[in-house]
Amino acid sequence: MGELLKPYVISNVGMSLDGKLATIDNDSRISGEEDLKRVHNIRKNVDGIMVGIGTILKDDPRLTVHKIDAKIGDNPIRIVIDSNLRIPLNARVLNKDAKTIIATTLKDTPNKIEKINKLKDMENVEIIRTGIEKVNLKKLMEILYKKGIKKILLEGGGTLNWGMFKENLVDEVSVYVAPKIFGGVGAPTYVDGEGFKTVDECVKLKLEKYYPFDEGIVLEFKVKK
Ligand SMILES: NC(=O)c1ccc[n+]([C@@H]2O[C@H](COP(=O)([O-])OP(=O)(O)OC[C@H]3O[C@@H](n4cnc5c(N)ncnc54)[C@H](OP(=O)(O)O)[C@@H]3O)[C@@H](O)[C@H]2O)c1
């Protein structure tokens, strides 16, 4: 089997010291202005920004470069992972500021067919279908690479992060750790999902760089392959 030709994937989050991406009430005000600028600088230098549908439904992000000096052409392609096309047609990620790829499964339901037709009417939206129950992330990476998307910023949330780490699709990790503790067993963490059963199976990282930032610290790692 040949090597998987896939985009280089950088996983970035802002998290509390206890690894939470938001509080139990979904308050995700973790990063200050400086950290938001750091993330928007990474956005400006990638071909695509990827998030799960959970993040779209909870935060309604635009996923554009707007916290730093930028032109509309600096906006990367936005990629939403959404097996059942739960994306609202008025989601901000569907605005005209950039192209948006919605990755969904091959499984059809009457609602889904209707939604696909509505989304296809939007000129900046493209739909990619792969996988049956969930989006096949490995296949999606191959398809995106063939489309010229060579570098992706993965911006969560915890469920999609698990899917990407489990399939060994992440190459680099960059996290801002805020000096805050959120607690709460139900609060989303950096990587959720089923989790690895043993330390032998887990994803191993090599620490590359760390520096104090805003009120917290930025940690950068390469994923050991
Ligand atoms: N602090 C930060 O930096 C940051 C960044 C991003 C998000 N967040 C927070 O994270 C939370 C959202 O996280 P979340 O875990 O609920 O949602 P998520 O990771 O954004 O989206 C997960 C969803 O993606 C879909 N999916 C489809 N195929 C998948 C696959 N192969 N693997 C994994 N997921 C797949 C699934 O829904 P379907 O089956 O319906 O497709 C799944 O439920 C929010 O609270 C948000 O504020 C924080």
Side-chain angles (χ1 to χ4, degrees), residues 14 21 26 52 54-55 58-59 83 86 134-135 155 157 159-160:
L21 299 187
N26 200 43
T55 298
K58 284 184 184 140
D59 298 344
S83 315
R86 290 188 283 153
K134 295 274 165 206
V135 174
E155 289 205 43
T159 308
L160 179 62

Side-chain angles (χ1 to χ4, degrees), residues 43-44 46 65 70-77 97-98:
R43 285 184 179 181
K44 201 174 169 179
V46 295
V65 186
K71 304 179 293 296
I72 202 155
D74 291 324
N75 287 332
I77 295 177
D97 292 348

Side-chain angles (χ1 to χ4, degrees), residues 81-84 103-108 112 128-141 143:
I81 310 301
D82 182 8
S83 315
N84 303 301
T104 191
T105 54
L106 293 158
K107 208 170 166 177
D108 270 334
K112 204 167 161 184
I128 296 178
R129 304 186 73 175
T130 172
I132 307 296
E133 294 301 326
K134 295 274 165 206
V135 174
N136 184 324
L137 297 171
K138 230 176 209 161
K139 287 215 173 101
L140 176 68
M141 288 298 121
I143 296 167

Side-chain angles (χ1 to χ4, degrees), residues 1-4 138:
M1 270 213 318
E3 200 194 329
L4 176 73
K138 230 176 209 161

Side-chain angles (χ1 to χ4, degrees), residues 179-193:
K180 298 181 173 111
I181 292 184
F182 289 174
V185 76
T189 71
Y190 176 26
V191 183
D192 288 322

